[in-house]
Amino acid sequence: MPRIVGRRNVHELYSPKSRVDVFPDADFRFLTHVAANIARAFAGVHQYGHVVGDVNHGNLLVGADGTVMLIDCDSFQIGTGTNAFTCDVGIPLFTAPELHGSTFRGLVRTTNHDCFGLAVLLFHLLYMGRHPFAGRYTGHGEMQIEKAISEYRFAYGPDRAANSMERPPNTIPLETMGSSIAQLFIKAFGRTGVNGTRPDAKTWVEALEKLKSSLRGCSWASRHHYPRELAACPWCAVEVQTGARLFGQRITPGGRTGAVDLATLWNAILSIPDPGADPALPSERPWHPPQGVEMPNVYKNFLLKVVTIGLWPMVSAEKRASIEKEYSETKMKWENTLDQWKRKASKEIFDKNLKALESIHVELVELPNEHRRQIAKLHAEREIRQRQQYLDRFRIDRAKIRGIGEGRSAMLASYGIETADDIQTVRIMRIPGFGEALTAELMQWRQGHERNFRFNPHEPVHQRDIDVVNREFEVRRQNLLLLLQRGPDVLRQLGQEINEARSRLMPMLEEAWTAFKIAKAHHEEL
């Protein structure tokens, strides 16, 4: 057998907290590459009539090149064509729903059973370590993952509300990876999958390769890649919501902008002439009907109504409807044209852009001071950071904590709680199924490790933490500078567009206002 060296458990790749340390160069492209390779490994086993059987995160090892190796192969179900040497073990979190409650000993499994466990592994990789059946149960009582699996309660599926499930907070929707990937997961985790229709390994390989080819880079963080059809980067949103890094260190997205004279740049922006004050609108000026247009005499018609009231109708129903329709249409046209003016021809548009550039300028001027404050904060918080780094060594899924088995450990991970440092009473109590007793057990375990922590006042701030701050500020500086450097061209173009819009829209406003005034007069005559 080949000797396995330089490889890590797949759990250390799909868990964001361990990924940034164990796979610091991994981006989302790497995760999709590994996911496809895992599917290839399963396809290879299935091709020869064998079944992995005991699918779990402990029998897959990943190399720095993204290749994977299967271990614990002695537990595979081996088929000889006439006989099957069964796999007599299994992990409930990766076991197909129809097998829950069954005895594994002597049970002949199928590749369709494997395909459920494969889909769970792939979901972990694509959805940042979350288990597909770990969600917030909105019904009564506790819903452990094992039970959710047996009852087909896919926490991210389209029928999750009907199953009284919600996906955990700070997670991405199923549709983030595109409709093709979403549909494969729905088929893998739905009730119809029991009939042998779960996507097989080869189908997953093809879909994952398509996903990888569709990824585009994020303009803010170089290790963020996401499907091209999405309007915005989902990883940036998760990082903002959680404060956690998902992929290694944040890297500068482009070349350095170098030294820039902010004063000169800002003076260049201020030198761009504005389009001038807004001209008076037709509704703000005295109005006279066009020559040849006779306007109704409202006072005369009112007296006529008083004299003839009760004798005969002044206006037929058909004419009344016509006048009301004309009034409604001309009013709508005036309001729509006025809205176009405000969006395209008002000086307010220019002023808003100038004000936004002014905020960017102020932020850039203040950025060095803010950077110094952040570095000083790192030094002031050395003890806090040393404690965090120490507590992060102790993973919940490797610990023996009373009442916390594999299912509850996976549930905690789905809520972003993986190590002793993550354990806080408020965070734990928000998780369904974790009451005071389990929270106390977790807090006691954390406090036990915390008592062994010793602050080293001579240990400097970790260079990695300083590098993170430096990189984040450099990314921020470059993006702000790019926006400011585009400022003169943006304002110049905007001024030209506003003047062109004024020339084009003012006659339309005049026409719409005149039509509305005439229609309004006839409407008031009714």
Side-chain angles (χ1 to χ4, degrees), residues 78 112 128 162 164 215 284 299 308 333 337 369 410 412 471 495:
I78 305 299
N112 191 54
M128 302 297 107
S164 302
L215 299 177
E284 298 168 344
Y299 179 71
T308 60
K333 186 175 182 180
T337 310
N369 293 329
L412 287 166
R471 285 189 180 97

Side-chain angles (χ1 to χ4, degrees), residues 422-430 434 439-440 443 447:
D422 297 325
I423 295 174
Q424 299 170 13
T425 299
V426 175
R427 293 183 67 186
I428 304 297
M429 291 293 288
R430 289 175 181 165
F434 286 77
T439 302
M443 287 300 299
Q447 290 162 2

Side-chain angles (χ1 to χ4, degrees), residues 82-259:
T82 55
N83 297 319
F85 295 88
T86 59
C87 171
D88 294 340
V89 291
I91 301 295
L93 300 187
F94 293 85
T95 300
E98 63 269 23
L99 298 184
H100 278 250
S102 301
T103 301
F104 291 135
R105 183 170 298 277
L107 176 68
V108 178
R109 307 194 208 194
T110 67
T111 55
N112 191 54
H113 296 142
D114 262 9
C115 290
F116 179 87
L118 170 61
V120 173
L121 283 170
L122 300 180
F123 193 91
H124 274 305
L125 279 165
L126 299 183
Y127 290 81
M128 302 297 107
R130 313 291 184 160
H131 193 285
F133 290 84
R136 182 180 295 278
Y137 180 56
T138 58
H140 299 292
E142 181 181 356
M143 180 58 64
Q144 296 188 13
I145 298 179
E146 296 91 331
K147 184 179 180 184
I149 293 174
S150 68
E151 297 177 356
Y152 300 92
R153 296 179 187 270
F154 179 29
Y156 295 73
D159 58 350
R160 60 187 181 277
N163 288 327
S164 302
M165 297 292 285
E166 295 176 358
R167 58 187 176 89
N170 303 321
T171 56
I172 59 174
L174 181 66
E175 299 75 21
T176 302
M177 297 302 142
S179 59
S180 297
I181 294 290
Q183 284 302 314
L184 291 182
F185 280 123
I186 291 169
K187 289 180 181 178
F189 301 138
R191 292 182 181 275
T192 57
V194 69
N195 298 322
T197 57
R198 293 186 180 109
D200 61 19
K202 289 183 179 179
T203 301
W204 277 112
V205 173
E206 182 181 349
L208 289 165
E209 287 297 334
K210 286 183 180 178
L211 172 62
K212 187 169 70 171
S213 65
S214 77
L215 299 177
R216 65 170 172 172
C218 172
S219 60
W220 287 89
S222 63
R223 284 194 168 87
H224 288 188
H225 294 82
Y226 57 96
R228 192 174 304 278
E229 59 266 25
L230 294 183
C233 175
W235 313 129
C236 284
V238 173
E239 287 189 342
V240 168
Q241 291 166 1
T242 63
R245 282 200 321 278
L246 297 179
F247 304 94
Q249 308 290 344
R250 297 193 73 175
I251 305 299
T252 304
R256 295 177 64 86
T257 53

